[in-house]
Amino acid sequence: MHLRHPAVRGVRVLAMVAALVTAMSSLFIFGSKRAEGAGATCAVVYQPNQWDTGFTASVTVTNDGPAVSAWTATWTWTGNQKVTSAWSAQVTQSGSAARAVNMPYNGSVAAGGTVNFGFQGTYSGFNGPPVNFTFNDVLCSGLGSSGSPTSTTSSTSSSSSSSSSSSSSSSSSSSPSSSSSSSQQGGSCPSGAVFCDGFENQSSTTPSGRWSLVHPDCSGTGTAAITTAQEHAGAKSLEIDGRGTYCNHVFASDTTDMAAAAPTWYVRFWMKHTAPLPINHTTFLAMKDPAHNNTDLRLGAQNGALVWNRQSDDATLPDQSPAGVAQSITVPTGAWECVEFSVSGANGQIHTWYNGTQVPGLTEDGVPTSDIDDQWLGGSGSSWRPQLTDLKLGWENYSNGDDTLWFDDVVLSSSRIGC
């Protein structure tokens, strides 16, 4: 038996450790497994909306690496949460471990792109956020191992990255109904669009050109102004300082262009807001419908999620049951988000896309679906055929709730636009 000097044995041990660390570095990055075909990093925004024993949650994941053609997300609950239904993903759960797999229509996520899905669940006691969230086996930032969301900004701002490939067009015509863009446009702008407007040609803080300031019903403290403080692309946007209660309604209205897109109106806009979507009903986009006594078709929020509301009979899309709300989208604060919709005057159908993904709860396809469009299509709703004549962006709150929000890169078209 040969006894080696302690220093020699120490050198060999250090060499073995170094070799082991080198081997492990090909499998793990900061404690997360490197996923084949997935980005090196990802970020997640988790937006819950809860009541006594149940909740819905919207999850937005940013893929900060190469494009993927399919994805799986996993997370761990810190309490006794149980997922009961989901949208835009197939979600399963075993114990505290949950797993979401893409649907056929949203498996592809571009480099720097986002994907959104959501679910409804039950809980008792404390409903804390999940931990150890992964996207294709990569541990994401935004939800840490402690269960507390981190203050990362990359998880909510990536949607604006698409503006780098923006298509811009300008027109010297003073006519607000000109079919070409009146200002620089961020994001997709189809060649056949009625207009693409990023508010870049606005010369003062008061909306002008195709936009005019209106206060439906009565004038209060709500304001609408062109600002350089926030922008999705370019240097300007429309800022709405929205106030609660009935008399503070304020909008920037376009009354000249909607006829050019009939009979099916496609609208796309980017929106950023500062306060969580309220529980009480709020409208941030409205369109007048002379075919139904000049009432408005309204897009806004209720119960913390996006909702369509038909003023003529107060129908909502989706139904405002917990299961219906779960099929909609909770919009995060502090981030530019892309909203697109189509409304058909020929058959009354409505389709809505959020960051490029269709939202089941904001879809009226002519076939009544429980908790989604069964109320909307009930009674005379089945024969509803709107004739929209204006487009209003602003704030209309019917109870209480303030929000400062911005609109940018607005497009009106007769066909799909995209983000």
Side-chain angles (χ1 to χ4, degrees):
M1 180 174 181
H2 299 281
L3 296 176
R4 298 187 182 274
H5 191 280
V8 175
R9 291 199 303 271
V11 170
R12 288 199 171 187
V13 170
L14 289 174
M16 292 173 64
V17 170
L20 180 60
V21 170
T22 300
M24 290 179 67
S25 67
S26 65
L27 295 176
F28 293 87
I29 301 176
F30 300 110
S32 62
K33 183 178 178 182
R34 185 190 298 270
E36 182 179 356
T41 58
C42 52
V44 59
V45 174
Y46 177 79
Q47 294 284 330
N49 174 39
Q50 69 182 48
W51 52 97
D52 289 346
T53 59
F55 70 102
T56 62
S58 173
V59 181
T60 301
V61 183
T62 298
N63 173 29
D64 290 326
V68 299
S69 58
W71 54 267
T72 298
T74 65
W75 63 92
T76 303
W77 292 114
T78 56
N80 58 6
Q81 295 94 334
K82 176 67 176 178
V83 175
T84 56
S85 63
W87 62 95
S88 299
Q90 301 177 35
V91 178
T92 56
Q93 182 173 339
S94 176
S96 61
R99 181 174 183 265
V101 178
N102 66 269
M103 301 296 285
Y105 55 80
N106 66 352
S108 296
V109 185
T114 62
V115 64
N116 177 272
F117 66 93
F119 45 82
Q120 182 174 352
T122 61
Y123 77 99
S124 62
F126 177 65
N127 182 28
V131 297
N132 300 328
F133 191 99
T134 71
F135 182 71
N136 281 2
D137 292 331
V138 174
L139 188 64
C140 298
S141 65
L143 288 172
S145 59
S146 67
S148 299
T150 63
S151 57
T152 176
T153 57
S154 63
S155 60
T156 60
S157 61
S158 68
S159 59
S160 64
S161 63
S162 64
S163 64
S164 61
S165 59
S166 63
S167 170
S168 62
S169 174
S170 62
S171 171
S172 60
S173 171
S174 61
S175 171
S177 60
S178 171
S179 62
S180 59
S181 172
S182 68
S183 57
Q184 184 178 1
Q185 167 66 23
S188 176
C189 181
S191 58
V194 176
F195 71 76
C196 300
D197 197 343
F199 304 102
E200 297 303 301
N201 283 357
Q202 296 286 324
S203 58
S204 71
T205 57
T206 302
S208 60
R210 65 168 45 88
W211 305 104
S212 59
L213 190 61
V214 296
H215 298 272
D217 306 312
C218 53
S219 177
T221 59
T223 61
I226 304 300
T227 182
T228 57
Q230 296 281 343
E231 73 285 328
H232 169 253
K236 299 177 182 179
S237 67
L238 172 66
E239 178 177 309
I240 305 295
D241 188 11
R243 299 298 177 182
T245 71
Y246 185 77
C247 248
N248 293 315
H249 304 176
V250 60
F251 290 89
S253 174
D254 171 19
T255 61
T256 60
D257 293 309
M258 293 293 277
T264 301
W265 300 269
Y266 286 81
V267 175
R268 197 284 315 278
F269 59 93
W270 289 81
M271 179 179 72
K272 180 178 180 179
H273 70 124
T274 56
L277 297 179
I279 298 300
N280 56 72
H281 186 204
T282 295
T283 294
F284 54 74
L285 183 148
M287 297 170 288
K288 182 176 290 187
D289 181 11
H292 296 85
N293 298 318
N294 286 320
T295 55
D296 280 343
L297 173 62
R298 306 186 287 203
L299 177 60
Q302 190 168 353
N303 289 313
L306 296 183
V307 65
W308 282 101
N309 172 254
R310 190 168 54 205
Q311 186 183 12
S312 59
D313 60 359
D314 207 31
T316 63
L317 177 72
D319 297 358
Q320 291 303 288
S321 62
V325 174
Q327 301 299 310
S328 186
I329 288 291
T330 299
V331 180
T333 59
W336 284 104
E337 306 294 329
C338 175
V339 180
E340 180 181 0
F341 63 83
S342 69
V343 179
S344 172
N347 58 26
Q349 293 189 13
I350 297 176
H351 298 272
T352 312
W353 297 267
Y354 176 77
N355 289 333
T357 300
Q358 187 159 10
V359 184
L362 302 177
T363 300
E364 191 273 272
D365 58 4
V367 179
T369 301
S370 179
D371 293 308
I372 297 181
D373 58 358
D374 54 342
Q375 180 203 55
W376 191 273
L377 290 169
S380 61
S382 60
S383 60
W384 178 72
R385 301 294 183 266
Q387 299 299 317
L388 308 179
T389 58
D390 71 2
L391 174 65
K392 299 186 288 290
L393 304 173
W395 187 254
E396 191 170 276
N397 185 280
Y398 312 104
S399 179
N400 56 68
D402 299 346
D403 197 0
T404 299
L405 59 160
W406 298 268
F407 295 93
D408 204 355
D409 301 321
V410 183
V411 179
L412 172 65
S413 181
S414 58
S415 60
R416 273 300 307 271
I417 302 161
C419 292

